[in-house]
Amino acid sequence: MTRFRSALIPLAAATLLGLTALPQQAFAAPPKPVTTVAVAEQATAASSCAPTVRGATVDTRLTNLFTNYGNDNGRLDDWTGADGTYSLRLPSGQELWVFSDTFLGQVNADGSRPPVVEEGGTTVFLNNSFAVERDGRLSTIHDGTAEQPTAVMPPRDQNHWYWAGDATLAGGIVEVTYQEYERFGGGAWDWRWHRNVVARFAQGHLNQPISVHDLPSGHGVAWASGILKDGRHTYVYGVEDHGSPKYMHIARVEGQSLLGQWEFLKADGTWSPNEADSARVMSGVANEYSVSRVGDAYVLITHDTGEVLSPNIVAYSSCSPFGPFTGKQHVYTTPETGGNIFTYNAHAHPGVAGTGLVVSYNVNSFVNTDHYRDVSIYRPRFIDVTFD
């Protein structure tokens, strides 16, 4: 079982299906009983400032940008597919795209890709990477060399790896959150979430971090599914993942940097410096989701994990960045879903220009060889969501 087979498919597929025993395998400590806001109330009661979803259309610029870039064989060590798909606008005007599992290499004339190196092919598989967009052109960032690329956030050893969370900018330094996973046995499902960290990168030297710092990790919450700067705080959104259900948690830091003092939203709506007090805000969120300012409201975008392998992207809204998030609305049904193919982890990119709120989602397959047969599967798709 190579790292490709055990790391690319199972996290997305197994957690969406609820196949893994995540309460035992995924968390460093068993989650304690906490108060959860009633899901039925969240789904039916709209907040007073809630915008109405008017519609969603394919963002052809961004979808085509990554399609064309992935198919370009101008650089044989270059990006041909990835998931994760976070973004951060840099002061230079560049857009930093943050990816988790990534294919680098060549696309064949028939739209296929060679197998990964671990399976005797030439395609390089990394657990994380960056791409930088400027003036409609993309370039890939990885560490190592062109001949032997390595991840921008390197693992400590072969039994650990990092998948990316959201990113933010603090005093000119790029801060990217990562969740570290570890393998603890030889079985296909013998891996678990281990901890959260933040890696700090210089804007002009993005191929490796200048420092890595621990984030709160003691109570089974993977931070940060999403990040939002609002007022004097940076809000950090996390997920307590039991396969099904998944619970939203919210923390905040005063100022711009994630290295500040964290405090956690309690069940009574107050804040505590103790992560053990972090409450389950709601269920139904995905491992990756977003909270964005839309007019006077805060809109939560997520895949609907209340349904098994749902193709539906939904929105909730609140009058504050820490909820309650209510008034569930349908946003979009992903057309790729069906057969072996599933979609997951929709979230917004408020800093990216579009004809509405730009939202991305990931496409994957339960069959590994599908990713060799058709390079178009494992690439992000983008939509523009408009509101009244």
Side-chain angles (χ1 to χ4, degrees), residues 341-360:
I341 308 301
F342 61 96
T343 58
Y344 58 106
N345 284 346
H347 52 79
H349 302 263
V352 178
T355 58
L357 180 65
V358 173
V359 171
S360 67

Side-chain angles (χ1 to χ4, degrees), residues 47-95:
S47 61
S48 60
C49 57
T52 300
V53 175
R54 187 172 67 192
T57 57
V58 174
D59 187 313
T60 54
R61 184 192 78 82
L62 285 168
T63 300
N64 290 343
L65 176 67
F66 282 95
T67 296
N68 295 335
Y69 183 58
N71 291 341
D72 183 3
N73 281 329
R75 290 176 54 192
L76 298 185
D77 65 331
D78 221 343
W79 189 99
T80 65
D83 74 350
T85 321
Y86 286 100
S87 64
L88 179 66
R89 174 70 65 170
L90 301 179
S92 63
Q94 296 175 314
E95 195 73 40

Side-chain angles (χ1 to χ4, degrees), residues 26 83 96 100 122 132 159 161 168 186 220 223 227 241-242 246 250 326 342 354 364 376 379:
D83 74 350
L96 177 65
S100 291
T122 59
V132 172
N159 291 320
W161 66 90
T168 189
W223 309 98
I227 294 174
D241 180 2
H242 296 276
K246 303 174 193 286
I250 304 176
T326 61
F342 61 96
N364 210 324
S376 70
R379 290 173 180 169

Side-chain angles (χ1 to χ4, degrees), residues 120-142:
T122 59
T123 296
V124 172
F125 178 73
L126 305 178
N127 288 124
N128 56 78
S129 69
F130 294 147
V132 172
E133 176 192 355
R134 184 164 192 171
D135 299 328
R137 296 179 62 86
L138 287 163
S139 59
T140 301
I141 296 177
H142 56 72

